Amino acid sequence: MRVFIFMLTYLITSFAEKQDLSGKMLTFPEESDTAHVILVPNQSKSLPAVTLCLRFFSDLSRAQSLFSFATPTNENAFLLFKRENSVYEVDQGGQDIVLFWGLDDKRNEWNSVCTTWNSQTGIAQLWVNGKPSTRKGVRRGRDISGAPSIILGQDQDSYGGKFDRGQSFTGMLTDVHMWDTVLPYPEIVLYMNRIPQKTDGNVINWRSLEFTRKGYVIVENQVN
């Protein structure tokens, strides 16, 4: 298993390209079980907390994966999944919770999403277009550890693969940032309002992103 993980990490980093994607977006033009983007994190240490922010544009009403973070021991170490319109799921370490229900998101428009989780308290929360969810507890006292496999466009049902076409993302993604802390509320407000922030993500940074595209995925200028 260790040899497999080493080889997988080597292959990912060998073919990865690093770019400043400011003003750019990733376009996933069609439903598939192959098209995805592998992100190489800026660090691979254990995560005692997470803030994940991204923007997406899609016309899908079915379930779709927005962000999939797997480790060798858990394919859902941190998953942001949209079940249907206005219903989001955060899966941390194999335990999933619904954090957003009944507040409007928009099809065929840009949606801004941030989610936070703190292992010390277990508290998780979600913001969509500036509106917060209730705060709920999940996997208190357990950091995220293990070599990460981070994928956009697909939900990993095994480490680095086993994709389901019916859970694939179709549309555009941009401004993906991930931190190893819970971002202060004022910083989340800045992100929601597209105002420049004090710090970029220190785990995933859209302005300095190392990534590999697989299948039919295009980097384009962002369309507002």
Side-chain angles (χ1 to χ4, degrees), residues 43-57:
Q43 60 185 45
S44 56
K45 64 180 183 180
S46 296
L47 301 178
V50 169
T51 298
L52 168 68
C53 291
L54 56 82
R55 303 187 213 283
F56 75 94
F57 188 118

Side-chain angles (χ1 to χ4, degrees), residues 191-202:
Y191 182 91
M192 290 287 153
N193 292 320
R194 300 194 179 197
I195 299 172
Q197 295 168 271
K198 296 177 183 177
T199 58
D200 295 327
N202 64 339

Side-chain angles (χ1 to χ4, degrees), residues 28 37 39 52-58 60 62-69 78-84 87-89 105 111-114 126 128 150-155 167-174 176:
F28 298 80
V37 174
L39 306 184
L52 168 68
C53 291
L54 56 82
R55 303 187 213 283
F56 75 94
F57 188 118
S58 179
L60 294 181
R62 64 156 171 80
Q64 55 183 324
S65 175
L66 297 177
F67 183 91
S68 177
F69 184 121
F78 197 86
L79 172 69
L80 177 59
F81 193 80
K82 185 179 180 186
R83 291 187 181 180
E84 55 186 284
V87 181
Y88 292 78
E89 172 188 320
D105 55 2
N111 294 276
S112 296
V113 180
C114 287
L126 188 75
V128 177
I150 304 176
I151 285 178
L152 300 177
Q154 302 285 346
D155 176 14
Q167 297 177 335
S168 64
F169 176 81
T170 303
M172 294 94 81
L173 283 167
T174 191
V176 182

Side-chain angles (χ1 to χ4, degrees), residues 158-211:
S158 66
Y159 184 69
K162 199 175 179 182
F163 304 139
D164 182 342
R165 181 188 186 99
Q167 297 177 335
S168 64
F169 176 81
T170 303
M172 294 94 81
L173 283 167
T174 191
D175 296 337
V176 182
H177 289 272
M178 185 177 188
W179 294 260
D180 62 357
T181 60
V182 173
L183 208 64
Y185 175 68
E187 284 285 293
I188 291 176
V189 172
L190 291 179
Y191 182 91
M192 290 287 153
N193 292 320
R194 300 194 179 197
I195 299 172
Q197 295 168 271
K198 296 177 183 177
T199 58
D200 295 327
N202 64 339
V203 180
I204 298 294
N205 180 358
W206 192 251
R207 283 179 271 274
S208 180
L209 187 69
E210 194 168 353
F211 65 98

Side-chain angles (χ1 to χ4, degrees), residues 5 44-47 69-73 77 143-149 159:
I5 293 170
S44 56
K45 64 180 183 180
S46 296
L47 301 178
F69 184 121
T71 65
T73 57
D143 293 0
I144 299 173
S145 60
S149 171
Y159 184 69

